[in-house]
Amino acid sequence: MKKSNNAAAAPSQGIIRPTAISRNRLWPKIRQNYELYLFILPAVLLYLVFKYYPMYGVQIAFKDFRASKGIWGSEWVGLEHFQRFFEAYNFWPIMENTLLLSVYSLVFSFPVPILVALMLNQMMAKRYKKFVQTVIYAPHFISTVVLIGMLNVFLSPNSGLVNHVIAFFGGDPILFMADEGWFRPLYVLSGIWQETGFATIIYLAALAGVNPELHEAAIMDGASKWKRVKHVDIPSILPTIIILMVLAVGNIMSIGFEKAYLMQSDLNYGTSNIIPTYVYELGIQKAQYSFSAAIGLFNSIINVVLLVTVNRLAKRLTETSLW
């Protein structure tokens, strides 16, 4: 019996656990490429501190938070705040404002950088091409506060350049910044002007990786520039377009708070009141921390659902996805 026990125990001593193998292989790689790990360390710390650690406070969306009691000491109320938001009189107007502004921004803003990149890629004059790239990329460095200040100056009913042109042709001055009907067009158009250059660089980088032999073969076959763009350039950058589209749809509910808040006034409140500004109004100005946290969490859940859904659709239809 002793002999058989020793024989049975012998194989177990020679077994190498997978965790031991992975550790033995991981640490030499880290030591060999420690410079790269140090390089990404600030980004990892940034996400841990400002993205993951704040998730600890998400639980106040399910509690009646009191600052004196703290997060753990506050009373648990479950989905009460979510129900309160769904039953609020302004739930559907806020959702409509947020969705319309997001969809308009996506529909009108997303194709513009693609078209600009395709046109710049066909330019033969390098100096003019660089000049155009610089001009359209420069607005990306303008802060949101400065951008809204420029809108107020150019669209002023008394001294604005746009209203001077309208008055020159016999029209009446328009209160662009105070009109509910003009809030969404101004938001979308200013966003196109500010962000087109940055997105164009991404597509130009993708176009730079297109194999020149494909264009040479297309020219030999007598293909025009339009046909080369349609059958060579667009299919080559299609994976990049799909990835950026998935990311854009995943952030469809995360409209920039600063821009909407700075453009908001009592006169255009009916269309400018969106989820981010409403959360700020309740959470910061009215100190309803739990209620505003519930609204923000609801907004984030919608983004996650959209991101996963669109990513799966893109993977099925084009075999290109984030994961």
Side-chain angles (χ1 to χ4, degrees), residues 36-50:
L36 298 177
Y37 288 97
L38 290 177
F39 185 74
I40 66 173
L41 182 61
V44 173
L45 293 177
L46 181 68
Y47 270 84
L48 290 176
V49 175
F50 294 101

Side-chain angles (χ1 to χ4, degrees), residues 1-260:
M1 293 297 293
K2 293 182 179 179
K3 193 172 183 179
S4 62
N5 290 337
N6 292 335
S12 63
Q13 295 176 357
I15 295 177
I16 301 177
R17 298 182 179 277
T19 55
I21 296 176
S22 60
R23 290 175 182 174
N24 293 334
R25 292 180 179 178
L26 180 61
W27 286 111
K29 290 183 179 180
I30 295 178
R31 292 175 183 175
Q32 185 179 0
N33 304 299
Y34 73 94
E35 298 94 344
L36 298 177
Y37 288 97
L38 290 177
F39 185 74
I40 66 173
L41 182 61
V44 173
L45 293 177
L46 181 68
Y47 270 84
L48 290 176
V49 175
F50 294 101
K51 298 294 183 180
Y52 289 96
Y53 179 72
M55 291 182 182
Y56 164 79
V58 172
Q59 58 181 305
I60 69 174
F62 305 94
K63 293 187 174 185
D64 185 14
F65 176 72
R66 293 290 183 268
S68 58
K69 297 181 179 179
I71 295 178
W72 284 106
S74 299
E75 181 184 357
W76 183 272
V77 295
L79 301 177
E80 178 181 330
H81 300 298
F82 295 91
Q83 183 178 0
R84 174 186 169 190
F85 177 56
F86 297 151
E87 296 176 353
Y89 72 96
N90 56 354
F91 171 75
W92 288 113
I94 292 175
M95 289 296 296
E96 181 182 0
N97 293 338
T98 306
L99 287 173
L100 285 179
L101 196 60
S102 301
V103 171
Y104 288 163
S105 299
L106 180 63
V107 171
F108 294 105
S109 301
F110 189 80
V112 175
I114 302 174
L115 297 176
V116 174
L118 291 173
M119 289 188 292
L120 288 176
N121 191 56
Q122 295 297 323
M123 282 188 179
M124 301 302 295
K126 293 184 178 179
R127 290 185 178 180
Y128 183 69
K129 180 179 178 180
K130 291 181 179 179
F131 173 76
V132 173
Q133 284 183 261
T134 304
V135 170
I136 63 176
Y137 185 56
H140 177 72
F141 297 97
I142 298 177
S143 67
T144 305
V145 177
V146 175
L147 174 63
I148 304 305
M150 293 172 62
L151 289 177
N152 286 319
V153 171
F154 288 120
L155 301 177
S156 173
N158 298 321
S159 59
L161 177 63
V162 176
N163 276 304
H164 279 313
V165 174
I166 294 175
F168 178 79
F169 288 99
D172 296 326
I174 301 175
L175 299 174
F176 289 100
M177 301 299 291
D179 191 347
E180 290 185 357
W182 279 102
F183 174 79
R184 295 187 186 114
L186 291 176
Y187 187 98
V188 174
L189 291 174
S190 60
I192 293 174
W193 176 75
Q194 187 176 25
E195 299 298 336
T196 294
F198 179 78
T200 300
I201 292 179
I202 300 177
Y203 293 113
L204 285 174
L207 288 169
V210 177
N211 191 350
E213 295 180 358
L214 297 176
H215 283 283
E216 294 175 2
I219 293 173
M220 293 295 294
D221 292 337
S224 61
K225 284 188 177 181
W226 163 244
K227 289 185 178 180
R228 281 189 282 138
V229 169
K230 181 179 179 181
H231 298 287
V232 177
D233 289 338
I234 294 180
S236 299
I237 66 173
L238 188 59
T240 304
I241 295 175
I242 292 174
I243 293 299
L244 293 180
M245 172 63 78
V246 172
L247 293 174
V249 175
N251 291 321
I252 196 170
M253 297 292 289
S254 299
I255 309 176
F257 158 75
E258 293 181 2
K259 187 176 177 181

